[in-house]
């Protein structure tokens, strides 16, 4: 059975849990700006549009030698009947239950309204330390205006500017004093992790050249495996995250584009640490209009680049579309290992209500392979994420096992001796390549892993013909596996001139 935990950075065994501070408030008051300032990241998408943040976003910050966990919540509007605001409120309530201290953020430029009073009363009922951050106070003359917000009945009031980092130290000092350090607490080892990529509004994901996870050493141990869940809007990515983690971590709704910020959760399964990241639905450029949507697509592409494995989710009801092919191409070109997940399979088989006969798995997979020819190495898993979230349902062990296996194949190394013995057995005359494009391979070695990359030492410095590359890749897979992972080749000609 998988076990679940919410820590953002894995702690060493026996280490004390970090205290959690929750940032709450109405929409568009600057909660995400404060979160990004404290965590020194751009983890939360920031914009002028209200209600950008929806799910809980976790991070960490350090103050006066102590580390704290921080959670950014969506804008809370109590008693709002609409679906999305209600789900945002439910997500925020979970953060309030977990938190040791609360920072309520208000906008100094707006008048107090009834939702502010309602939210303050809700927070006070919890009996936890509450700190009122009156945000967007850029000049000293405005500091006196912050006193007007004492009408909310909160004693600890701080005038700050999250955007410019002004007067935040006093707020953090007060929070630290309210959460005393446990006596004789063990010192936690700071585990370095890849910093969150920064996002600028004008950036184009197609022009971004992010770092590739390309390992040059041998088969290595990794603290955790990162898995990005990608796909079109409304194919069930958030439902799949909830099913895999056994939580209600991500908001699920029939409204396309519900997820904006990437949402991650950690699963411990059979001794492996798996971090699943639910990303926003990727649309074509012409289909994104609001800035929040554009930035969420950029973030989705970047979280894909930072992952080890990509789960490409396809809606069985819609079949394989051109958008699915484009998204699968992103994963393939970035060098991620890939598992194709056909979701909502029950809707076209056992739960079909349109009177048509149940879909045939073999026919569907054949059609899928025909469209996604470049992902021929990726296994296909048919499932219903919704069934996996029902009470009493079995964990999605098959998919979890597949993830672990694919991650292991991605990090596998073949020795040079094995490769040379392999080359001796290949009949290259069978390769369907024109004579003018044929090359002679003297020897071959694996230069790196994740993804597996092979260096070919040849007689000519020319690009491999696609037919020859496909032939060689098939031979390598037949001999050594590398299931689920793309295979890259690099050419080094023996007679190539050395550059000075």
């Amino acid at each position: 059975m998988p076990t679940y935990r919410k820590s953002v950075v894995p702690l060493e065994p026996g280490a004390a849990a970090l205290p959690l501070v929750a940032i709450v408030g109405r929409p568009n008051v600057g909660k995400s700006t404060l979160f990004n300032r404290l965590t020194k990241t751009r983890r939360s998408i920031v914009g002028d549009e209200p209600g950008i943040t929806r799910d809980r976003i976790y991070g960490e910050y350090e103050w006066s030698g102590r580390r704290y966990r921080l959670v950014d919540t969506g804008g809370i509007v109590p008693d709002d009947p609409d679906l999305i605001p209600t789900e945002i409120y439910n997500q925020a309530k979970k953060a309030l239950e977990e938190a040791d201290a609360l920072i309520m953020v208000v906008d100094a430029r707006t008048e107090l309204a009834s939702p502010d009073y309602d939210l303050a009363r809700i927070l006070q009922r919890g009996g936890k330390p509450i700190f009122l951050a009156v945000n967007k106070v850029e000049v000293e003359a405005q500091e006196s205006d912050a006193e007007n917000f004492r009408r909310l009945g909160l004693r600890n009031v701080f005038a700050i500017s999250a955007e410019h980092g002004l007067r935040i130290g006093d707020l953090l000092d007060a929070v630290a004093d309210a959460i005393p350090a446990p006596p004789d607490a063990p010192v936690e080892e700071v585990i370095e992790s890849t910093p969150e990529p920064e996002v600028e509004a004008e950036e184009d994901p197609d022009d971004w050249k992010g770092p590739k996870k390309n390992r040059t050493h041998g088969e290595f141990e990794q603290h955790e495996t990162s898995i990005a869940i990608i796909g079109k809007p409304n194919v069930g990515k958030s439902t799949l995250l909830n099913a895999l983690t056994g939580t209600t971590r991500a908001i699920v709704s029939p409204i396309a584009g519900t997820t904006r910020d990437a949402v991650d959760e950690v699963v411990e399964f059979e001794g492996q640490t798996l971090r699943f990241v639910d990303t926003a639905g990727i649309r074509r450029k012409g289909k994104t209009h609001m800035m929040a949507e554009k930035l969420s697509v950029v973030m989705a592409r970047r979280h894909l680049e930072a992952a080890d494995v990509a789960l490409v989710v396809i809606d069985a009801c819609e079949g394989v579309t051109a958008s699915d092919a484009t998204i699968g191409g992103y994963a393939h070109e970035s060098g991620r290992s890939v598992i194709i997940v056909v979701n909502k399979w029950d809707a076209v088989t056992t739960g079909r209500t349109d009177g048509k006969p149940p879909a045939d798995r073999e026919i569907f997979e054949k059609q899928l392979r025909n469209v996604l020819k470049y992902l021929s190495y990726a296994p296909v898993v048919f499932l219903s994420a919704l069934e996996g979230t029902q009470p009493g349902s079995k964990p999605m062990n098959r998919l979890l096992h597949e993830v672990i296996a694919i991650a292991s194949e991605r990090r596998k190394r073949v020795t040079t001796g094995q490769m040379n013995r392999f080359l001796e057995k290949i009949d290259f005359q069978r390769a369907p390549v024109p004579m003018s494009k044929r090359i002679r391979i003297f020897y071959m070695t694996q230069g790196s892993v994740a993804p597996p990359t092979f260096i070919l030492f040849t007689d000519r410095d020319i690009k491999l013909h696609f037919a020859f590359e496909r032939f060689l890749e098939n031979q390598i897979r037949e001999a050594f596996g590398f299931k689920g992972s793309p295979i890259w080749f690099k050419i080094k000609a023996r007679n190539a001139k050395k550059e000075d």
Side-chain angles (χ1 to χ4, degrees):
M1 293 286 290
T3 57
Y4 313 103
R5 58 186 174 85
K6 293 184 174 62
S7 57
V8 176
V9 177
L11 300 179
E12 294 298 324
L18 299 180
L20 178 65
V21 180
I23 301 176
V24 298
R26 285 203 294 153
N28 215 32
V29 295
K31 299 182 299 298
S32 295
T33 303
L34 179 60
F35 177 89
N36 291 343
R37 169 71 62 178
L38 296 183
T39 59
K40 299 180 181 178
T41 68
R42 291 201 178 181
R43 179 72 172 81
S44 281
I45 296 176
V46 176
D48 293 332
E49 301 156 8
I52 291 177
T53 302
R54 292 175 172 176
D55 299 283
R56 288 168 284 153
I57 310 298
Y58 289 87
E60 289 188 9
Y61 75 93
E62 184 174 346
W63 186 253
S64 298
R66 289 181 63 192
R67 290 169 63 204
Y68 301 83
R69 292 174 63 215
L70 192 67
V71 56
D72 180 23
T73 62
I76 301 176
V77 182
D79 302 323
D80 193 314
D82 291 341
L83 174 64
I84 294 298
T86 300
E87 287 299 322
I88 292 173
Y89 181 39
N90 292 336
Q91 289 285 321
K93 282 200 298 186
K94 291 182 174 64
L96 299 181
E97 293 168 1
E98 299 173 355
D100 299 289
L102 311 174
I103 299 176
M104 178 178 171
V105 183
V106 294
D107 186 346
R109 301 173 183 174
T110 62
E111 295 292 330
L112 282 171
S114 59
D116 293 311
Y117 290 99
D118 294 340
L119 178 57
R121 283 195 293 269
I122 291 172
L123 300 182
Q124 287 172 318
R125 290 187 202 128
K128 297 180 179 180
I130 306 172
F131 303 89
L132 183 64
V134 183
N135 191 27
K136 305 182 184 179
V137 178
E138 271 78 36
V139 295
E140 292 184 6
Q142 294 177 309
E143 290 187 43
S144 60
D145 296 338
E147 295 301 313
N148 296 329
F149 288 86
R150 290 190 181 275
R151 288 182 290 169
L152 291 172
L154 303 178
R155 184 177 58 183
N156 302 307
V157 179
F158 299 88
I160 69 167
S161 171
E163 183 176 358
H164 299 95
L166 302 177
R167 297 174 294 277
I168 294 178
D170 293 338
L171 171 64
L172 297 183
D173 283 338
V175 172
D177 292 340
I179 309 176
D184 303 322
V187 178
E188 295 168 5
E189 179 183 351
V190 178
I191 300 178
E192 295 184 358
S193 60
T194 304
E196 292 290 342
E198 294 192 350
V199 179
E200 299 294 343
E202 68 272 14
E203 291 186 15
D204 186 336
D206 291 333
D207 298 331
W208 183 70
K209 304 298 181 182
K212 301 288 190 287
K213 279 197 171 183
N214 190 274
R215 313 287 185 175
T216 57
H217 47 290
E219 197 164 351
F220 61 94
E221 292 186 4
Q222 194 166 296
H223 285 296
E224 67 178 30
T225 299
S226 177
I227 304 101
I229 305 174
I230 64 173
K232 296 184 305 181
N234 218 27
V235 294
K237 299 183 297 300
S238 297
T239 306
L240 180 59
L241 174 75
N242 292 344
L244 286 167
T245 61
T247 66
T248 55
R249 180 68 176 82
I251 292 176
V252 175
S253 86
I255 301 171
T258 297
T259 301
R260 287 177 175 173
D261 292 286
V263 178
D264 62 340
E265 189 80 353
V266 174
V267 174
E268 300 281 0
F269 182 70
E270 296 188 352
Q272 301 287 325
T273 302
L274 308 175
R275 180 180 298 278
F276 289 94
V277 183
D278 175 26
T279 65
I282 299 176
R283 313 185 191 208
R284 293 183 307 179
K285 290 181 182 179
K287 297 294 184 179
T288 54
H289 304 291
M290 293 192 301
M291 183 56 64
E293 290 181 338
K294 296 178 185 294
L295 293 181
S296 64
V297 171
V298 173
M299 287 291 285
R301 293 282 302 274
R302 292 193 171 187
H303 280 283
L304 169 63
E305 292 282 354
D308 299 291
V309 179
L311 301 184
V312 179
V313 184
I314 293 173
D315 188 338
C317 300
E318 296 184 8
V320 189
T321 65
S323 295
D324 295 320
T326 300
I327 293 168
Y330 293 153
H332 172 71
E333 292 166 6
S334 68
R336 305 311 98 190
S337 296
V338 177
I339 299 174
I340 302 172
V341 178
V342 180
N343 190 26
K344 308 181 186 179
W345 186 242
D346 60 320
V348 295
T349 52
T350 57
R352 192 151 203 166
T353 59
D354 57 6
K356 296 181 181 179
D360 183 273
R361 182 171 301 196
E362 291 185 3
I363 294 175
F364 192 100
E365 183 170 351
K366 184 177 180 180
Q367 294 171 341
L368 181 151
R369 295 292 187 191
N370 187 51
V371 177
L372 306 178
K373 292 179 180 179
Y374 50 87
L375 291 178
S376 58
Y377 55 84
V380 181
V381 177
F382 293 82
L383 52 78
S384 170
L386 184 59
E387 288 185 353
T389 61
Q390 302 303 316
S393 62
K394 295 182 180 180
M396 309 189 88
N397 287 0
R398 183 193 169 196
L399 183 54
L400 292 171
H401 279 121
E402 196 76 81
V403 167
I404 291 175
I406 295 305
S408 177
E409 288 288 292
R410 175 179 180 78
R411 300 190 290 266
K412 184 165 63 178
R413 174 175 286 278
V414 179
T415 67
T416 302
Q418 288 176 305
M419 289 306 306
N420 288 331
R421 289 191 292 273
F422 158 77
L423 279 177
E424 293 174 357
K425 299 177 181 178
I426 298 179
D427 180 11
F428 286 104
Q429 298 301 319
R430 293 166 40 217
V433 184
M435 290 301 297
S436 62
K437 298 292 183 180
R438 289 183 179 270
I439 60 172
R440 180 183 178 189
I441 302 175
F442 298 113
Y443 67 96
M444 183 166 59
T445 184
Q446 186 174 355
S448 60
V449 298
T453 303
F454 295 91
I455 302 174
L456 281 60
F457 294 85
T458 64
D459 60 341
R460 291 194 292 167
D461 186 14
I462 62 172
K463 183 179 179 180
L464 284 181
H465 189 272
F466 74 91
F468 184 85
E469 184 172 330
R470 184 173 55 191
F471 172 81
L472 184 57
E473 178 182 334
N474 290 339
Q475 297 295 319
I476 291 175
R477 292 191 188 281
E478 185 177 339
F480 303 109
F482 296 111
K483 179 183 178 182
S485 179
I487 294 177
W488 289 355
F489 296 102
K490 293 182 179 179
I491 298 293
K492 282 195 175 181
R494 172 177 286 184
N495 299 324
K497 295 182 180 180
K498 295 183 179 180
E499 297 182 1
D500 295 330

